[in-house]
Amino acid sequence: MPVCGRLLIPPKAFCQYDFAEIRELVEIAPVGVVRTYTVVYEDSYGNKLPKPVVMGFIEFPGGVTGGLVHYIINVEPSNVRVGLKVRPVFKSVNERRGGSITDILGFEPV
């Protein structure tokens, strides 16, 4: 943990506030909150997607600074809202995990 005591997500090698080296990872709460989101209907080439994709910015409680931009899954786009509590959905134990954000398939409502 940095000298300033902040928990940073995503994790960093150095604290952006006090420049202290961060040598340990700290587990955070498994539930986050959607702070903003968007519904995507077309891919980057302008082609209509088979079904809309929801992307959101997820913040975490407990004094965590920062957040994650990720997919919001297993919910109809019309049911997503700011303040929605979500939890991560990880790849199955049978799939290769690398200890990175790509191990998370998305976030689903709690």
Side-chain angles (χ1 to χ4, degrees), residues 63-98:
V64 177
T65 300
L68 298 175
V69 174
H70 217 303
Y71 296 105
I72 300 174
I73 59 174
N74 301 331
V75 61
E76 289 298 318
S78 60
N79 292 328
V80 177
R81 60 178 165 43
V82 170
L84 180 68
K85 290 185 179 180
V86 292
R87 65 177 168 223
V89 176
F90 292 93
K91 289 181 179 176
S92 75
V93 293
N94 298 330
E95 294 181 72
R96 183 178 171 165
R97 294 185 185 181

Side-chain angles (χ1 to χ4, degrees), residues 41 48-52:
Y41 296 93
K48 186 174 177 163
L49 295 172
K51 69 182 234 182

Side-chain angles (χ1 to χ4, degrees), residues 42-62:
E42 298 176 349
D43 67 18
S44 59
Y45 298 103
N47 301 311
K48 186 174 177 163
L49 295 172
K51 69 182 234 182
V53 173
V54 182
M55 299 289 298
F57 179 71
I58 316 295
E59 284 185 333
F60 297 86

